[in-house]
């Protein structure tokens, strides 16, 4: 069984590669310690760093990969899927979050262990409600991310009985007029859905007297701003980030693989992706990409694929947290339900996880955030 990686982070995002490499190496090390696939070691193919995703995918086809973990950037997923699905190689991204990928035609070969962007709408609405806010303004950056997350937040607010008093789009670097419209609506809280234009929009909100605990941030806007914003601008503000904070044990195991590892973003999702592929191959008793893809939904705890021989919607499944535990379930005649480092997976028929975990961060007066809680929601928030 051969596992490939597509690494596409360059520039400021390069740090994301190390966590994914370490997590994949750790998972494969543990799979092999448990006997590998049919008594043979699972192999991690050499990886290259490139933004030519199609070329990376073709190289992995030539290297006879059975499953590919990646890419990181949602915009690069179609190029990877087009090549790999045609070659009947399973693709599991630990980081793709674009909502539109749920409907991308992959012939059943594309999965992701990261939640779609829209899931956070439910968390943002819940955070607004927990502060007692009833009149909410949404300030969103132009583009698909702002439209998708803003729309999901608006829907979730309506479902919670809150009123969206303003839903305003802005262009990065040109948020003044949009903030004026938000202020005129006299909201109790403002949800900022942004990436590139987040800092400028926050500065404008602060200038307009909309600051501190009135502010809720989508994942694209969460960062350690510090002195980049006026003192106290975010004091009490909250933001969300997808995933779960790695346990101390998992962090220690990753650092044993890479002692220089500083950031563990997407490590849990990568680790789970490799384990899921190995468990699917074990369940199928075959490491071909088509066999892995056919079993991924079943062993993740999602809706059972009736086309897979020997399974049915009524088949009981047993929770297991490691490859070794899941092998034990299989050897006893059961069906595994893998629940890993990133939480329950439960793939649906789009290859999406059906429940999403989020970390909640709260800012102090120095405009720096710390983890203060967790929330879970369904895939659509």
């Amino acid at each position: 069984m051969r596992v490939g990686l597509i690494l596409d982070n360059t520039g400021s995002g390069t740090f994301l590669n190390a966590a994914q490499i370490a997590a994949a190496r750790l998972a494969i090390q543990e799979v092999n310690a448990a006997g590998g696939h049919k008594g043979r070691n699972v192999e991690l193919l050499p990886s290259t760093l490139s933004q030519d995703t199609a070329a990376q995918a073709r190289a992995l086809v030539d290297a006879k990969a059975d499953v590919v973990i990646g890419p990181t950037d949602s915009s690069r997923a179609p190029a990877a899927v087009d090549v790999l699905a045609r070659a009947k190689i399973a693709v599991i991204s630990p980081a793709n979050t674009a909502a539109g990928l749920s409907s991308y035609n992959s012939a059943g070969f594309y999965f992701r262990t990261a939640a779609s962007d829209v899931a956070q709408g439910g968390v943002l609405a819940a955070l607004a409600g927990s502060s007692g806010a009833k009149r909410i303004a949404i300030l969103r950056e132009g583009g698909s991310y702002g439209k998708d997350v803003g729309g999901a937040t608006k829907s979730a607010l309506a479902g919670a009985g809150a009123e969206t008093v303003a839903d305003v789009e802005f262009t990065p670097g040109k948020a003044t007029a949009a903030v004026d419209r938000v202020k005129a609506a006299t909201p109790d809280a403002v949800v900022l859905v942004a990436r590139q234009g987040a800092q400028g929009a926050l500065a404008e909100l602060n200038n307009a007297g909309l600051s501190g605990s009135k502010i809720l941030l989508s994942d694209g806007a969460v960062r350690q701003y510090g002195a980049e914003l006026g003192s106290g601008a975010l004091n009490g503000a909250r933001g969300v980030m997808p995933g779960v904070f790695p346990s101390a044990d998992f962090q220690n195991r990753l650092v044993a693989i890479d002692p220089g590892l500083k950031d563990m973003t997407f490590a849990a999702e990568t680790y789970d992706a490799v384990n899921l592929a190995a468990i699917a191959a074990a369940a199928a008793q075959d490491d071909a990409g088509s066999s892995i893809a056919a079993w991924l939904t079943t062993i993740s705890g999602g809706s059972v694929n009736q086309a897979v021989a020997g399974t049915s919607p009524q088949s009981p499944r047993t929770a297991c947290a490691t490859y070794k535990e899941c092998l034990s379930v299989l050897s006893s005649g059961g069906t595994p339900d893998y629940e890993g480092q990133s939480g329950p997976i439960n793939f649906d028929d789009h290859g999406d996880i059906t429940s999403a975990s989020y970390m909640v961060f709260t800012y102090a007066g120095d405009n720096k955030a710390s983890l203060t809680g967790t929330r879970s929601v369904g895939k659509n928030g």
Side-chain angles (χ1 to χ4, degrees), residues 7-366:
L7 301 172
D8 56 354
N9 298 295
T10 59
S12 61
T14 302
F15 73 94
L16 294 169
N17 298 321
Q20 293 176 71
I21 293 169
R25 288 176 58 197
L26 173 63
I28 288 174
Q29 182 183 89
E30 293 177 355
V31 165
N32 289 338
H37 177 69
K38 290 188 172 182
R40 299 181 64 181
N41 278 351
V42 174
E43 178 184 354
L44 180 63
L45 295 170
S47 57
T48 58
L49 176 61
S50 171
Q51 292 190 330
D52 188 342
T53 307
Q56 287 177 300
R58 288 191 293 269
L60 290 169
V61 172
D62 292 342
K64 301 187 183 305
D66 299 298
V67 61
V68 170
I69 312 302
T72 305
D73 190 327
S74 292
S75 69
R76 302 186 189 285
V81 172
D82 288 349
V83 173
L84 296 168
R86 192 180 308 119
K88 300 187 184 304
I89 296 171
V91 186
I92 312 174
S93 172
N96 290 167
T97 60
L101 292 173
S102 293
S103 57
Y104 194 78
N105 184 12
S106 72
F109 283 90
Y110 175 64
F111 301 79
R112 47 183 172 172
T113 49
S116 170
D117 284 327
V118 298
Q120 65 188 287
V123 182
L124 291 166
L127 291 178
S130 69
S131 67
K134 295 295 184 182
R135 295 169 50 81
I136 318 297
I138 299 172
L139 179 62
R140 54 184 174 82
E141 189 171 290
S144 60
Y145 173 77
K147 180 180 179 181
D148 292 342
V149 178
T153 303
K154 187 173 183 178
S155 295
L157 287 167
E163 180 184 3
T164 300
V165 295
D167 179 6
V168 187
E169 182 177 294
F170 74 95
T171 300
K174 300 178 181 179
T176 304
V179 169
D180 287 343
R181 290 175 59 191
V182 167
K183 182 178 181 179
T186 62
D188 300 326
V190 179
V191 176
L192 175 63
V193 181
R195 285 177 170 157
Q196 181 183 348
Q199 183 176 327
L202 286 170
E204 293 290 352
L205 286 167
N206 188 36
N207 292 338
L210 297 168
S211 60
S213 59
K214 286 181 176 287
I215 303 298
L216 296 167
L217 305 177
S218 71
D219 64 341
V222 175
R223 67 194 69 155
Q224 302 294 11
Y225 289 96
E228 294 174 351
L229 292 174
S231 178
L234 290 177
N235 190 20
R238 288 175 292 173
V240 301
M241 289 289 286
V244 296
F245 193 77
S247 67
D249 174 68
F250 185 52
Q251 291 184 61
N252 290 337
R253 284 152 56 200
L254 286 169
V255 171
I257 296 291
D258 180 359
L261 192 62
K262 301 297 183 185
D263 187 283
M264 299 188 182
T265 304
F266 303 133
E269 291 81 3
T270 301
Y271 176 86
D272 286 347
V274 175
N275 274 302
L276 284 160
I279 296 163
Q285 299 185 45
D286 178 33
D287 61 7
S290 55
S291 296
I292 291 171
W295 273 90
L296 276 171
T297 299
T298 300
I299 59 89
S300 73
S303 300
V304 177
N305 184 351
Q306 297 183 63
V308 177
T311 69
S312 72
Q314 291 76 36
S315 296
R317 279 171 284 185
T318 302
C320 47
T322 66
Y323 177 72
K324 184 176 181 179
E325 288 180 11
C326 293
L327 277 188
S328 179
V329 173
L330 286 167
S331 65
S332 64
T335 302
D337 175 2
Y338 177 74
E339 296 186 2
Q341 292 294 329
S342 63
I345 309 295
N346 305 339
F347 287 130
D348 65 11
D349 56 6
H350 296 288
D352 287 340
I353 60 176
T354 53
S355 63
S357 298
Y358 281 85
M359 297 175 284
V360 179
F361 289 84
T362 302
Y363 284 84
D366 60 358

